[in-house]
Amino acid sequence: MDSIPAGILTVNLDGSIKSINKYVTKMFGFSKEEMKKMKIWNLFEGWEIVKDAIYSQNTFLDEDVFVNSRRNKLQFNLSAYPLYDNKQNLRNVILVFKEIKKVRKLANKIMGRQAIYTFDKIIGRNKEFLQTMEFAKKIADSKSTILIMGESGTGKEIFAQSIHNHSNRCEEPFIALNCGAIPKNLIESELFGYEEGAFTGAKRGGQPGKFEIADGGTLFLDEIGEMPIDMQTRLLRVIEESTVNRIGSTDEIYINVRIIAATNKDLTEEVKKGNFRKDLFYRLNVLPLRLPPLRKRKDDIPLLIEYFMDRISKRLNKKKVSISDAHMNRLMKYEWPGNVRELENFIELVINTEYIPIDMNRNETRLEIKQILDNNNNVCYKLEHVEKEHIIKVLRKCKGNITLAARKLGIGRNTLYRKVNKYGIDCSEFEQCNETEQSKVI
């Protein structure tokens, strides 16, 4: 028992402490003699709940309780197990106390809550972008709040994770919460947690909030501009006082959390419109970090294309698609309103279809790519749509010559006829010519 890194006590049904291991004295600050004179309900709150659970369910597992230690009232994780005599009568209860931080670490490991990105995994050689990375590394160890600003798809969470992993909190939890993805009536319980019976449907024993789970580590609040105005007031108080109150509780829980917030909105404009509190904005904007859009770092596009081509082709088990210099130049001229995320999705489309959806005869690259990547037009994502468009282009280039078009496509004439009929392609719109004339065209 003394070799186990947890506080272990044996208690009889009257609440008298019968035995303890050495770790208990380190955790609570009492000597063995002092503890054996105590009743268990003087040590922690909730003994009757534990006893009822043991009688009815035989176990009481991984519940958070407050312990009256010598130094302060501290929160620990408690599990309780019954001890029976040879007649199966309940005689004693074994109580196992663990530090919350260690339990949280285990939960984070199981639930995959650790940050995975580091600065060496971020792709870029643009001068302004590299300066932004250096600034992010410089502020990584700071306790001050960081506000990451940038358009959608510029990699705000990747930077947040990299900052966490570059800091002295890298071994602690990294918890992410998207403020725009959670209903307004649930965001309070997600952030601050709740006590048992706080509202209808509340879990037995309550639930810790994101602030408690992130204690010692980093809390990433994505889309902070979407946070309801009444929640902004509570968030400001947490930042200023480093304490949280669960819903339905008056107990203050002290936390040590570094906050990284991110937004794709102009918060100064939101403040003027009354959608965002001015005092919270100044609290968050202590260390501002602005990520440049992809159109401002176009020299990184070939590097990113090479990276995504390699990674996605391996993931999909498909071959890479060669991109000519002419196509690369057109891709470099495109504005990429969806930034790096749009580029990644475009490369995935290219690998899946083995086709680059850019019409080199057009002056505007944007129109052609937008037609393929329009989020509101799901038809454009289907392989059949891409196949039909490609057949039309080849037929147009071959001036309607089915034999040569089939040869260019690498399929038989009959197969091409079937596809023309399937897609309802009107060949009469193409200028017809014989094979001799066609050989001069191609």
Side-chain angles (χ1 to χ4, degrees):
M1 283 175 64
D2 286 337
S3 66
I4 297 173
I8 303 175
L9 315 144
T10 306
V11 183
N12 66 16
L13 300 181
D14 295 329
S16 299
I17 298 172
K18 308 300 288 182
S19 66
I20 64 173
N21 70 344
K22 287 182 181 178
Y23 210 79
V24 170
T25 58
K26 293 179 184 178
M27 290 174 77
F28 302 152
F30 298 109
S31 66
K32 280 190 177 184
E33 291 72 23
E34 286 176 317
M35 291 199 68
K36 286 189 176 181
K37 293 176 183 177
M38 295 170 66
K39 289 291 187 180
I40 193 64
W41 53 78
N42 294 324
L43 182 65
F44 81 93
E45 300 172 9
W47 165 244
E48 292 300 323
I49 296 173
V50 172
K51 202 160 65 168
D52 290 344
I54 291 292
Y55 274 122
S56 59
Q57 302 170 9
N58 297 321
T59 55
F60 180 90
L61 298 175
D62 297 323
E63 298 289 347
D64 293 348
V65 296
F66 285 96
V67 173
N68 299 310
S69 69
R70 182 179 288 279
R71 295 185 300 274
N72 205 342
K73 181 184 282 190
L74 302 175
Q75 195 174 20
F76 287 89
N77 183 271
L78 172 64
S79 294
Y81 307 90
L83 269 181
Y84 300 101
D85 61 17
N86 56 3
K87 294 181 180 178
Q88 291 301 302
N89 294 317
L90 180 64
R91 293 298 181 192
N92 297 304
V93 178
I94 298 176
L95 302 177
V96 181
F97 292 89
K98 294 179 183 177
E99 292 180 26
I100 290 285
K101 192 178 288 185
K102 291 183 178 178
V103 175
R104 293 280 182 266
K105 276 189 182 178
L106 180 61
N108 292 330
K109 202 170 183 181
I110 294 169
M111 298 174 71
R113 279 176 167 151
Q114 284 299 95
I116 58 173
Y117 288 100
T118 54
F119 284 114
D120 57 0
K121 291 181 182 177
I122 297 177
I123 309 297
R125 57 188 170 204
N126 174 269
K127 185 178 178 182
E128 182 187 349
F129 187 68
L130 291 176
Q131 287 175 349
T132 303
M133 273 212 292
E134 285 304 311
F135 178 71
K137 290 177 184 178
K138 198 173 290 186
I139 63 176
D141 271 335
S142 174
K143 294 180 181 179
S144 300
T145 304
I146 299 171
L147 179 62
I148 304 176
M149 294 165 284
E151 295 177 10
S152 179
T154 50
K156 294 186 287 295
E157 182 163 359
I158 291 173
F159 262 80
Q161 291 190 19
S162 300
I163 290 169
H164 172 80
N165 282 328
H166 197 74
S167 72
N168 52 15
R169 297 172 182 258
C170 58
E171 295 298 322
E172 302 298 336
F174 175 88
I175 306 300
L177 179 71
N178 189 318
C179 300
I182 298 174
K184 291 182 179 180
N185 57 332
L186 294 180
I187 194 167
E188 185 178 17
S189 60
E190 282 287 329
L191 277 173
F192 308 115
Y194 56 83
E195 290 294 338
E196 181 177 350
F199 50 82
T200 304
K203 289 183 182 177
R204 180 183 171 276
Q207 177 83 12
K210 293 290 190 286
F211 274 103
E212 286 182 70
I213 297 170
D215 189 30
T218 301
L219 178 61
F220 175 58
L221 298 175
D222 198 8
E223 295 188 34
I224 189 71
E226 303 294 334
M227 180 172 281
I229 197 80
D230 53 331
M231 282 297 98
Q232 293 176 25
T233 308
R234 287 203 64 183
L235 178 60
L236 179 65
R237 180 180 175 276
V238 172
I239 295 172
E240 289 179 338
E241 300 182 11
S242 298
T243 61
V244 293
N245 294 85
R246 289 188 183 184
I247 299 173
S249 172
T250 56
D251 293 325
E252 290 193 338
I253 302 170
Y254 290 91
I255 53 163
N256 172 23
V257 176
R258 194 260 308 277
I259 295 173
I260 301 178
T263 182
N264 56 13
K265 291 186 173 183
D266 185 345
L267 290 187
T268 53
E269 287 298 316
E270 294 300 306
V271 169
K272 289 177 184 176
K273 293 175 184 175
N275 297 330
F276 203 83
R277 289 183 62 96
K278 186 188 290 187
D279 45 6
L280 178 60
F281 171 67
Y282 289 126
R283 272 288 179 185
L284 293 175
N285 199 35
V286 178
L287 294 172
L289 185 69
R290 188 173 291 279
L291 302 186
L294 189 54
R295 62 182 176 275
K296 295 280 184 69
R297 43 182 288 230
K298 288 192 173 181
D299 46 336
D300 283 340
I301 289 175
L303 194 66
L304 288 164
I305 287 175
E306 182 184 354
Y307 170 74
F308 289 134
M309 189 73 75
D310 184 60
R311 195 187 75 174
I312 295 170
S313 61
K314 287 178 181 176
R315 175 166 59 84
L316 298 178
N317 197 23
K318 289 180 176 286
K319 64 181 181 181
K320 299 179 185 178
V321 177
S322 177
I323 297 179
S324 66
D325 291 342
H327 280 120
M328 186 64 76
N329 288 335
R330 299 302 290 273
L331 293 173
M332 294 272 286
K333 290 176 182 177
Y334 181 54
E335 290 297 306
W336 300 105
N339 295 295
V340 180
R341 186 183 291 123
E342 183 183 0
L343 177 61
E344 183 180 3
N345 292 341
F346 175 76
I347 295 301
E348 186 165 350
L349 173 69
V350 168
I351 291 171
N352 273 300
T353 60
E354 297 183 5
Y355 162 72
I356 302 171
I358 298 177
D359 190 345
M360 299 304 293
N361 295 320
R362 289 193 182 182
N363 293 325
E364 288 292 332
T365 306
R366 180 186 182 91
L367 296 174
E368 182 69 16
I369 297 178
K370 185 172 176 58
Q371 179 191 13
I372 298 297
L373 296 180
D374 186 358
N375 290 331
N376 297 321
N377 186 1
N378 292 327
V379 176
C380 294
Y381 284 97
K382 293 182 179 178
L383 290 177
E384 290 183 349
H385 171 81
V386 177
E387 184 179 57
K388 177 184 175 181
E389 292 296 311
H390 187 54
I391 289 171
I392 290 172
K393 286 173 187 174
V394 174
L395 282 169
R396 184 178 288 117
K397 190 171 184 181
C398 294
K399 295 193 174 180
N401 189 305
I402 293 291
T403 303
L404 287 176
R407 192 182 302 158
K408 293 290 282 182
L409 289 166
I411 59 178
R413 290 174 75 253
N414 291 338
T415 303
L416 180 54
Y417 274 121
R418 282 199 305 271
K419 289 183 181 293
V420 166
N421 291 330
K422 175 185 175 181
Y423 296 130
I425 299 171
D426 184 5
C427 292
S428 64
E429 66 181 53
F430 306 120
E431 182 186 348
Q432 300 292 324
C433 64
N434 60 34
E435 291 192 26
T436 305
E437 292 172 323
Q438 185 63 38
S439 63
K440 296 176 183 177
V441 174
I442 299 177

